[in-house]
Amino acid sequence: MRMLTRLTPRVLRSDEGIALVAAMAVALIGMSVAMIVVAQTIMVANDSGRDRVRTAEVHSAEAAIDSAMAQLENAATCEIDPVALGSEGSETDVTVDMEFYAADGVTPVTCAGGVYSDVPAFATVRATSTAGTALPGIDPERTVEVKLALTPKSGETAKAAIFTGTLLTTGVGVDTDSSFAGANADVWVDSGSWRCNDNADIQGSVYVPQGGVNIQNGACKIRDDIWARDFLTFNTKNGVNGDITVQNGNLTTSNGAINAGGEVHIAGTIDYPSKVTADSGVVQYGIGSSAITPMSASGMPVITYDPSDWPGWEFVTKAQFTSEVISQWSSPTWFHSDINNCSFGSWQGGSVINFTRDEAVYDLRGCAPLLPNGIKFAIYGDTAIFVNELSANSLTIYSGDGEAHNLYLIAPSPSATANGIKVTSSLRVEVPLETFIYSATAVHFTNSSFIRGQIFASSLKMDPSSEVEYSPVGENWFTINPSTSTSNGFTVQILAKREVS
């Protein structure tokens, strides 16, 4: 018993300090838990920040795409500058890439300086957004991609009352106006320069993408814009109702007061700057050619005899046509051979050839009609007449039934031996007919001529008192200068949209 009594205190004394150990263990556990809580809090905060930035990146990428689409709506756009978006804590940097494709959706279309190598029909716009400030871990990145369909907006180059591939000669009293309210009767000289040396009244704009314009007479009036690449010269006091633009040269005023109803932009110099005013107050010169969007020549549009261009139309041969003329005129037998060769005697002057079919294409390329003075065509339906050349002294074309019809008079042969369409006295196409006259070589008419429609020719000579009243009857074949009509922007349609990453 004594032994046990002695041992008991020793055992009890060996428990001394265990409370300290336990306390330290509890402290370590508490510290570990606190560290886990802090780490978890930091991780949650970082994740929350990253999620916020990721959300901001998606929104900013979509905003950049919206901005790109808006720019494409307003003008030819090749690239979009990088942009910083967002507020403090969610700043993002956005870059935008654009790729353009032709109508087949495969062929790439390049773009430089606001000019496309071809007319883009589709575009892929890709916006990539990254964090504006560094975040812990891998920086988040979001890319949004949209595929667009592009339709060029009609602008200054989409329509013309008169288009010439190389040469335009105008005489006294040449006018263009429009049968459409609010539409312009524009003049387009694709290659070379134009000199207006007599009184002419252009109720529209004049575009000369590979030359200059010389206005020699104060009675020569341009009612909208003048756009010339190389020069613009006024030899007397004058002005325009719209803009004056010279993309690569000078404006010469000859010390006469010149006023623009719009703005004046001259790459080079103005000989008398104080003489030039603009209703908008904008008169810029010496700005260099790079400051002005270029306008490319389109080349002479090509129309060939292709039946597939006329679905559902009837095709009339030369033999059928001459047989109908013989029948209509009750011609004597001895004259049949001449008519069969499209040769008409002067004694037939004043006679009428009736084109009685509707939606009919007359293929008269096998002959070169030489029409006597005063002959008339009566049109009873939509009619196309193909000739290699046509010559007449005076020709009147009218609606035989008084109804509105379209007439297409086309000389598609580019041969140097083809004379095109030449009426040496007067060509009159009476309203309500609307007419598209096309020649791969020349068109020449004189003295009180009139048509409602369009004239497209490699060269065009309009002598005194000739008038073209614009109506877009020929635009189902082509649009003038598609590479520059895109400078007016596009109608943009979203085809697909996705988040890439």
Side-chain angles (χ1 to χ4, degrees), residues 421-476:
I421 299 169
K422 184 176 183 180
V423 182
T424 56
S425 180
S426 173
L427 169 65
R428 297 197 64 82
V429 184
E430 304 291 354
V431 175
L433 289 183
E434 295 188 346
T435 307
F436 176 66
I437 297 177
Y438 172 92
S439 174
T441 53
V443 170
H444 180 196
F445 53 86
T446 62
N447 298 335
S448 301
S449 294
F450 172 85
I451 77 160
R452 173 187 281 181
Q454 295 173 277
I455 301 175
F456 278 52
S458 179
S459 67
L460 171 63
K461 184 177 182 181
M462 299 171 61
D463 286 336
S465 301
S466 296
E467 180 179 356
V468 178
E469 187 177 88
Y470 167 73
S471 179
V473 65
E475 291 178 16
N476 55 325

Side-chain angles (χ1 to χ4, degrees), residues 283-353:
V283 177
Q284 297 180 326
Y285 60 96
I287 59 178
S289 59
S290 62
I292 300 175
T293 302
M295 185 176 290
S296 303
S298 68
M300 180 65 189
V302 176
I303 297 178
T304 61
Y305 181 79
D306 185 352
S308 66
D309 290 335
W310 309 88
W313 285 47
E314 180 182 4
F315 294 89
V316 182
T317 65
K318 169 193 167 186
Q320 290 174 298
F321 166 73
T322 55
S323 177
E324 290 177 3
V325 173
I326 290 171
S327 176
Q328 292 172 20
W329 288 359
S330 301
S331 301
T333 304
W334 58 267
F335 191 55
H336 290 185
S337 61
D338 290 336
I339 293 180
N340 286 332
N341 291 318
C342 301
S343 177
F344 304 94
S346 59
W347 56 275
Q348 307 269 195
S351 298
V352 177
I353 299 178

